[in-house]
Amino acid sequence: MSTEARHPASRATDTARVTSPSSPIPAPASPAAPGTAPVRATRPAPPAGTPTPAADTPAPPAPGTTARLSPSRGSATAPPHPWAPPTAPPAASTAPPATRPAPPTAPPATPVAPPAPPTTNPVAPPASTAPPTRRRPVGAVDLTPRPGAGAPPAGQPYWPPPETPAETTTRLRPVPGRHPARAAAAIACLVLGLGLTGGAAAGAWLVGDSAAQTSDRYTEARRLWHSVPVDSLFPRTLDGEGAGPGRADRTWTRVAVAPDGPCAGALDPLLLKALRPVGCARLVRATYTDATATSVTTVGMVFTDGDRPGMTALRERFADESLDERTDLLPRTLPAPGTVAARFGDAQRASWRVSVLTDVPVVVYAVSGFADGRTVTDPQPAAEAMAEGQTSTPAQAGLGHDADGVADRIERGLRRTAKTGEAARESR
């Protein structure tokens, strides 16, 4: 018994695998005559234009045998053919087998894409309403989604929504960083400004205080003619160390003192006119003689009503116009009857000096001459008579040194007295 007869079902299954819906099932051949050998079916010739298979292409299976076909890559799998019951094997036929038509060319099957994963997001578990087990550290950010917020997409990080500001502020313009040089310059300007302001304030205070002190000093010095003893204004003896010609020592002794009085009648009219800008409050005078009693010198102090600026302007005028060198502005003498100065008059005036002081409102003058009453026709200022090489009568007699030395000692005493009175006033 043959194998096909023993397993009819297996053959039917294999036939179904080989057969596809796209290729028709060939009709069974007519049964061969009894006693005739079955003729092997020949493969029909391919139609014209069909390429001849290569040599390594496997030959198709012979009829009556089964072969398992492997699916080609990239082609779709044919749907399985519905199961059919096995049929009886065809009877042997002596007729030649009919020619098998060529299978039609099937269109390429479109590859089927794999099924896409579900797009629905899994439902996020509800947020726990239980209180936290511990407090969040200071500065930590709470990334827990708000209640009712959906879960973030799968595979993407969760970013919390931005916070709503409690108040809206205006964006400020960025301030550039300060340069050290600018800071140093600003500090220097500040220090300089403070220094200038402080200096101006201190200067104003000092000037104001100095002006007040000068005013008080002038007021006190203007009253010295009756508030200070006469021996303080005109000491009995004046020491002239190195004050003579050739730096010889001189000593002058007071021989007469005039009572205080007005300037009119005691001064030359032109000199009184020159002193009019500062006025004349009072005039005090005294007369001195040298150790040999051959020369006499009258010294006077004019207490003015002027202030410091007025005295300064008067001093500058005397210097600019050389008023202290004009012979028509010679101070007048103070003769004293019964003394060596009894014959000392205007005709005996030989040398003089006029000094305008600015620290006190006083004009100091001195005029010298011969004690024997001799007349001098060419009087000479003390500064010229004291110069070297002078051959004039006042210069040869040393009268210029007498006028300058006596006036200088009286000025020193006046300044010293004014300072002493100021010191005594401050001590009170």
Side-chain angles (χ1 to χ4, degrees):
M1 188 175 185
S2 63
T3 306
E4 295 179 1
R6 280 182 284 179
H7 301 281
S10 174
R11 180 174 181 139
T13 303
D14 293 341
T15 305
R17 290 180 182 176
V18 174
T19 307
S20 62
S22 60
S23 53
I25 301 175
S30 58
T36 323
V39 179
R40 180 178 298 267
T42 61
R43 185 176 184 177
T50 303
T52 305
D56 56 352
T57 303
T65 62
T66 60
R68 185 179 300 270
L69 300 179
S70 61
S72 61
R73 294 183 181 179
S75 60
T77 306
H81 193 275
W83 178 85
T87 56
S93 177
T94 59
T99 305
R100 184 178 182 179
T105 304
T110 304
V112 180
T119 57
T120 57
N121 296 330
V123 179
S128 175
T129 57
T133 57
R134 62 175 182 176
R135 296 181 60 183
R136 185 172 67 252
V138 177
V141 180
D142 187 8
L143 300 180
T144 304
R146 296 191 304 271
Q156 296 184 4
Y158 173 75
W159 300 101
E163 296 182 355
T164 302
E167 60 182 4
T168 303
T169 57
T170 305
R171 183 180 297 276
L172 302 179
R173 180 176 57 87
V175 179
R178 294 185 176 180
H179 197 274
R182 293 183 179 178
I187 294 175
C189 292
L190 177 61
V191 173
L192 182 60
L194 293 178
L196 292 177
T197 304
W205 178 77
L206 291 176
V207 169
D209 188 65
S210 177
Q213 291 181 358
T214 301
S215 178
D216 295 343
R217 186 185 304 156
Y218 265 57
T219 303
E220 293 294 331
R222 191 175 290 118
R223 296 195 294 261
L224 289 177
W225 60 273
H226 68 85
S227 61
V228 176
V230 65
D231 291 343
S232 298
L233 295 177
F234 302 110
R236 292 180 177 273
T237 304
L238 298 177
D239 185 13
E241 181 181 358
R247 302 190 61 83
D249 294 339
R250 286 292 183 97
T251 301
W252 298 278
T253 303
R254 188 183 71 189
V255 296
V257 176
D260 61 274
C263 294
L267 296 178
D268 188 86
L270 290 180
L271 181 58
L272 185 62
K273 183 179 180 180
L275 298 178
R276 189 173 298 170
V278 294
C280 178
R282 214 64 177 170
L283 173 64
V284 292
R285 299 175 295 169
T287 299
Y288 288 84
T289 185
D290 63 348
T292 62
T294 58
S295 65
V296 289
T297 303
T298 297
V299 60
M301 290 186 289
V302 180
F303 289 86
T304 68
D305 295 324
D307 54 4
R308 189 184 186 94
M311 297 299 295
T312 302
L314 182 63
R315 183 188 181 102
E316 292 176 354
R317 181 188 176 192
F318 265 71
D320 295 341
E321 301 179 11
S322 300
L323 299 181
D324 56 345
E325 298 178 1
R326 293 173 53 175
T327 57
D328 56 348
L329 297 179
L330 275 170
R332 289 183 174 179
T333 63
L334 175 63
T339 64
V340 295
R343 292 184 289 180
F344 184 39
D346 291 344
Q348 285 72 39
R349 295 177 296 183
S351 185
W352 77 98
R353 167 183 165 173
V354 179
S355 300
V356 180
L357 308 182
T358 56
D359 50 349
V360 289
V362 177
V363 177
V364 179
Y365 70 88
V367 57
S368 62
F370 292 104
D372 57 3
R374 111 183 38 169
T375 303
V376 178
T377 58
D378 54 346
Q380 192 175 18
E384 294 182 6
M386 293 172 60
E388 295 182 2
Q390 291 291 328
T391 59
S392 62
T393 300
Q396 292 295 327
L399 297 178
H401 290 80
D402 289 338
D404 184 78
V406 171
D408 181 69
R409 270 56 181 185
I410 295 301
E411 289 178 12
R412 293 180 186 181
L414 178 64
R415 291 190 177 95
R416 185 167 52 251
T417 301
K419 290 181 179 179
T420 302
E422 182 180 354
R425 184 180 68 255
E426 291 178 356
S427 63
R428 291 195 299 268

